[in-house]
Amino acid sequence: MAGIIEKMRLDGKKGFVTGAARGIGKCTATAFAEAGADIAIVDLDLENAQKTAEEIADLTGQKVVSIQCDVTNEIQVNEMVESVVGQLGGLDFCHANAGICINAPAEKMTFTQWKKNLSVNLDSIFLTDTVAGRYMLSHGGGSIINTASMSAHIVNVPQPQCAYNASKAGVIQLTKSLAVEWAKRGVRVNCISPGYIGTDLTLSSPTLQPLIAQWNDMAPMGRLGKPEELESVCVYLAGDTSTFTTGSDFCIDGAFTCF
Ligand code: NAD
């Protein structure tokens, strides 16, 4: 009889990760391939996506392809899912992870900035989930993982980011809505809500990087999370040991939102 580690493997499964050229998406894509899945690295940045795909293929020996796609563009998302199915031979799971953070005080935030943040962080999840979901609903089911944020639960300080916070709260409620709609039809939908994680989004941002010491002072663990600390939950959600898990939000934040 297979032990729990064998049961958690993703051998034979096919999936894609958006925003996978770097950061959290690169990390979960690597973990999915390490667990035995074939993977598509989906990103706006094709050059980095190609590098990441080669790196993961060399590391794991799995089939790893790269696909350029702006996840806010309906036509491109449809073509991307078609290309994943064509190149990998099916689609069992996906991680809708691409996102951006625009920091501006609400009274100075332009409507264009607001719409951009909502478009990349929330509209894209609707598009990715429904296009992938349509395929899964008609091909025996699947698992969808969305990246929300602890910012869906709390208002981060000191940086002002009302659009980001609102977009991520929307991701959780969209996740739950799709989970309920598709619960009897074999498609599960869950999300992760990371706390502050050390990626280019935080470490290389001229506005956010100077705030890290302050965030660490507020954090019960006194540090940022690492992208690797999110990967096992995503492998669990993509696989067959989580078949009763849908509509759940996994807050992985080192207890940041506990008080
Ligand atoms: P990152 O900036 O390091 O990587 C994001 C990737 O998404 C990049 O490769 C970028 O090219 C891609 N991308 C951006 N816009 C895109 C678009 N329109 N279409 C396709 N790809 C696009 O960010 P990260 O830290 O890895 O964050 C990944 C996700 O995790 C985001 O949704 C973010 O909001 C969320 N998150 C991050 C943190 C954190 O502290 N880093 C915390 C909570 C949630």
Side-chain angles (χ1 to χ4, degrees), residues 43-193:
D43 208 287
L44 207 50
D45 177 350
L46 182 60
E47 198 184 323
N48 254 330
Q50 282 168 336
K51 272 194 222 149
T52 296
E54 279 165 27
E55 222 179 275
I56 299 175
D58 286 348
L59 179 74
T60 63
Q62 293 302 128
K63 181 164 185 178
V64 187
V65 300
S66 52
I67 300 172
Q68 187 172 35
C69 173
D70 178 348
V71 290
T72 68
N73 182 308
E74 186 179 4
I75 293 169
Q76 290 186 28
V77 172
N78 274 288
E79 287 173 352
M80 178 272 286
V81 171
E82 228 172 81
S83 172
V84 171
V85 171
Q87 293 190 72
L88 300 185
L91 177 63
D92 301 292
F93 68 90
C94 67
H95 182 185
N97 164 78
I100 57 168
C101 184
I102 296 175
N103 295 103
E107 73 277 16
K108 292 191 180 147
M109 181 172 284
T110 64
F111 192 39
T112 304
Q113 286 176 312
W114 166 270
K115 284 193 287 191
K116 171 86 181 165
N117 219 154
L118 270 285
S119 174
V120 179
N121 290 6
L122 182 56
D123 295 352
S124 75
I125 300 283
F126 170 77
L127 275 178
T128 305
D129 288 11
T130 51
V131 175
R134 268 194 288 278
Y135 177 89
M136 292 171 181
L137 287 166
S138 56
H139 290 80
S143 172
I144 295 173
I145 305 155
N146 296 322
T147 300
S149 170
M150 73 168 172
S151 308
H153 298 271
I154 56 151
V155 174
N156 305 65
V157 289
Q159 71 280 14
Q161 50 178 56
C162 69
Y164 183 86
N165 299 343
S167 71
K168 293 299 188 177
V171 171
I172 294 183
Q173 198 61 355
L174 176 59
T175 298
K176 291 183 181 188
S177 303
L178 299 180
V180 170
E181 284 195 39
W182 296 341
K184 289 203 172 92
R185 296 156 70 194
V187 179
R188 297 181 295 107
V189 191
N190 294 285
C191 59
I192 58 168
S193 282

Side-chain angles (χ1 to χ4, degrees), residues 17-32 43 56 95-99 145-149 164 168 192-202 225-231 234 252:
V17 182
T18 70
R22 67 182 203 186
I24 292 169
K26 177 179 177 179
C27 197
T28 65
T30 305
F32 293 139
D43 208 287
I56 299 175
H95 182 185
N97 164 78
I145 305 155
N146 296 322
T147 300
S149 170
Y164 183 86
K168 293 299 188 177
I192 58 168
S193 282
Y196 291 117
I197 306 293
T199 65
D200 283 314
L201 186 138
T202 46
K226 300 177 199 143
E228 295 78 16
E229 291 175 302
L230 306 172
E231 63 189 25
C234 292
I252 306 164

